[in-house]
Amino acid sequence: MTTPLHIALVTETWRPEINGVAMTLGRMTDGLRHLGHRFTLVRPRQHANDLPATETNLREVLVAGCPIPGYRGLRFGLPAKAHLLKAWRADRPDIIQVATEGPLGASAIAAAHELDIPVVSEFHTNFHAYSHHYGFGWLEGLVAMHLRRLHNKSAVTLAPTFAMAHELTNAGYRTVRVVSRGVDTALFNPQRRNMALRAHWGVSEEQLVVTYVGRLAAEKNLLLVTQTFAAIRKLHANARLLFVGDGPLRTQLQRSDTTYLFAGMRRGDDLAAHYASADLFLFPSLTETFGNVTLEAMASGLGVVAYDCAAANELIRDGDNGRVVPINHSDAFTAAALELARNPAMLTTLRQRAHASVRHLDWGHISNQLADILHATVKAHQRQQHADLIFRFALD
C-alpha cells in the first residue's frame, strides 16, 4: 500500500453547492479519504454562519469570498497567500491540489512555491468560452492566456478527457494528465424510474418526456433544446419538456411556454428519479470540459443526444448507446432527436445500451487514478529537490 498523503485541496465550490465541479471534487475526495489520504480543504466562506467542518481525514480552512455575478449562491475566493502560508507552515501538506483558477487558486500556487510544495491544478471549466455568452467575448484571449500561465505554474494540469488534454497541450499547457469522471450506478440507474413522479408531471407511461438537466444559463445553448423540442412536439403533441436545475434563464423559459415542466434543483435519490423517469435527454452545450450530466443520464438509461465533444465524445458510440452529432450542426442535433422520437424501438435499444456501457465507470477507479498521479508528482518533486541539493553541494 502507498504512503498516505496530506493533500491541501483549494476550491471555490464545495458541497452542498450543486454543480459538476463540487460534485466531482466531493466524490474524488471521499474516494481518496477512503484510501487513507488526509485533506486540508481551503474554500471561501459560503455564508455568514458558515463554520469549518472537521471530519475524518478532512479539516477545513475558510477564507473570504465575494459573490460570482450571474451565479447565485456561488462565491469566488479572494487572495489569501498570507493566510495559507501560516496554515501550511503549521501543518505542511505533501501536495497542493488547486481545483479552481480564481484569485484564491492563484494565491495558493504562489504560497506553495514559496514553501516548495508541489502543485497539481485542475481544468474543470471553460471560462474563456463562457465569456462569449456574457458579453465579454473580447476578453477570451486574455482569459485563455491567464489560465495557461496559471496552470503552467503547477507541475501537472489535470483534464477530464483525452480530447481536452490534447486541446490544452496544443494551446501551450506543458504537462497534462487525464483523470476522467465516474458515476454512482447504484444511484443513477433505470430502476429509479418512478410512475408516481411521472403522474405528478401529468404524463402517462406512453407519453414522451424530454429532459435537460443542468444550469439554466446562456452558455448551455438552451435555445437548441427548446427548438428541438418544438420539432418533437409536431410528432408527439402530448410530449413534455422537463428542466431539472436552476439559473438566470429560468424565468425567461417559463414565460416562453407554460407547458414546460420545471423541477428546480434536485439531488440524491430525488435527482436520480427525475433522470430515470424521463425518456430522452438533450444536451447541446459546447462549453463543457466533461459534462457529468451526460454520464448520469446514460447510467439512468436515457436516450442521449449531444454534440460530439466532452463526455459524449468519449462515452457515446453514435447509434449504439446514444447519438452524437458534429459540433455546431444544430440541424443534425434536431434530426437525431427526431429520429429517436419517431422510432420507439430504437430509443428503447439505445437506452438499454447506454446504461450497460457506463456500469464500469465507478468512482473508486477514478480515485485510484488521481492517487497515482498525486504520488508520482510528489516523488518527482522530491527527486528534483534532491538533485538541486546535490548541485548546490557540488558548487560549494
Side-chain angles (χ1 to χ4, degrees):
M1 179 175 174
T2 55
T3 304
L5 296 173
H6 175 198
I7 304 160
L9 172 61
V10 182
T11 177
E12 284 157 318
T13 182
W14 186 250
R15 51 197 177 195
E17 294 168 355
I18 302 176
N19 59 70
V21 177
M23 185 278 292
T24 296
L25 292 175
R27 288 286 190 178
M28 287 185 173
T29 301
D30 288 344
L32 289 172
R33 289 165 63 197
H34 180 73
L35 293 172
H37 302 288
R38 177 166 69 93
F39 276 84
T40 295
L41 173 67
V42 180
R43 63 173 178 84
R45 195 178 299 276
Q46 294 172 327
H47 51 80
N49 298 320
D50 195 2
L51 296 174
T54 301
E55 305 173 14
T56 302
N57 286 348
L58 176 68
R59 181 176 69 88
E60 291 190 344
V61 174
L62 304 189
V63 299
C66 288
I68 299 178
Y71 282 74
R72 187 178 64 188
L74 296 183
R75 303 173 72 82
F76 68 87
L78 297 176
K81 181 180 176 183
H83 190 161
L84 297 178
L85 285 171
K86 181 180 179 180
W88 293 343
R89 282 183 176 128
D91 186 14
R92 183 183 177 89
D94 297 302
I95 191 166
I96 312 298
Q97 180 182 349
V98 177
T100 50
E101 300 106 329
L104 175 60
S107 68
I109 292 175
H113 284 181
E114 186 165 326
L115 296 173
D116 197 20
I117 301 173
V119 180
V120 298
S121 58
E122 300 186 56
F123 197 95
H124 280 284
T125 307
N126 280 322
F127 287 113
H128 57 294
Y130 279 30
S131 59
H132 280 288
H133 300 282
Y134 290 94
F136 297 102
W138 56 277
L139 282 175
E140 181 176 358
L142 292 174
V143 174
M145 184 185 302
H146 160 74
L147 293 175
R148 182 174 61 250
R149 286 177 175 173
L150 184 72
H151 283 280
N152 280 344
K153 291 178 181 177
S154 63
V156 175
T157 296
L158 304 178
T161 67
F162 288 98
M164 177 59 68
H166 182 69
E167 180 181 331
L168 293 177
T169 299
N170 286 343
Y173 288 63
R174 282 196 285 268
T175 306
V176 184
R177 299 287 181 267
V178 176
V179 176
S180 190
R181 301 292 181 262
V183 65
D184 183 352
T185 54
L187 178 63
F188 297 103
N189 65 72
Q191 281 68 48
R192 297 282 179 167
R193 193 171 180 87
N194 188 317
M195 294 303 103
L197 181 57
R198 286 178 65 94
H200 175 71
W201 296 339
V203 300
S204 66
E205 176 60 16
E206 292 72 30
Q207 286 176 259
L208 181 70
V209 176
V210 180
T211 190
Y212 163 87
V213 179
R215 183 165 168 76
L216 306 184
E219 71 271 10
K220 299 300 185 181
N221 199 18
L222 297 182
L223 179 60
L224 185 52
V225 172
T226 57
Q227 289 175 339
T228 299
F229 179 71
I232 290 173
R233 196 154 51 180
K234 291 178 181 178
L235 291 176
H236 300 280
N238 62 356
R240 302 297 298 274
L241 176 59
L242 168 70
F243 288 100
V244 181
D246 209 344
L249 289 187
R250 176 167 177 164
T251 300
Q252 178 182 328
L253 289 166
Q254 286 175 317
R255 290 173 178 169
S256 68
D257 193 319
T258 58
T259 69
Y260 294 164
L261 299 167
F262 292 87
M265 303 292 280
R266 302 283 167 167
R267 67 181 76 203
D269 291 348
D270 191 23
L271 174 60
H274 277 73
Y275 270 116
S277 300
D279 304 295
L280 181 60
F281 180 79
L282 304 182
F283 196 63
S285 175
L286 289 167
T287 58
E288 307 301 311
T289 56
F290 187 77
N292 293 290
V293 293
T294 300
L295 182 49
E296 290 168 354
M298 294 176 70
S300 300
L302 298 186
V304 176
V305 179
Y307 279 126
D308 192 11
C309 59
N313 171 263
E314 301 218 343
L315 299 173
I316 296 179
R317 301 180 298 272
D318 185 44
D320 177 60
N321 63 343
R323 292 300 314 272
V324 288
V325 299
I327 292 172
N328 280 325
H329 285 60
S330 57
D331 289 346
F333 185 97
T334 300
L338 283 172
E339 182 180 20
L340 296 182
R342 68 166 57 96
N343 192 331
M346 179 185 294
L347 177 57
T348 298
T349 299
L350 261 61
R351 291 175 61 181
Q352 293 170 344
R353 291 175 178 171
H355 171 71
S357 69
V358 299
R359 283 184 299 190
H360 66 289
L361 295 175
D362 63 284
W363 278 109
H365 173 70
I366 305 303
S367 296
N368 283 324
Q369 270 189 316
L370 178 56
D372 289 344
I373 290 174
L374 295 178
H375 271 289
T377 303
V378 170
K379 289 179 180 178
H381 186 76
Q382 290 171 341
R383 288 195 297 269
Q384 186 60 53
Q385 286 178 314
H386 184 65
D388 290 344
L389 182 62
I390 293 175
F391 181 71
R392 286 196 298 269
F393 180 77
L395 288 178
D396 292 340

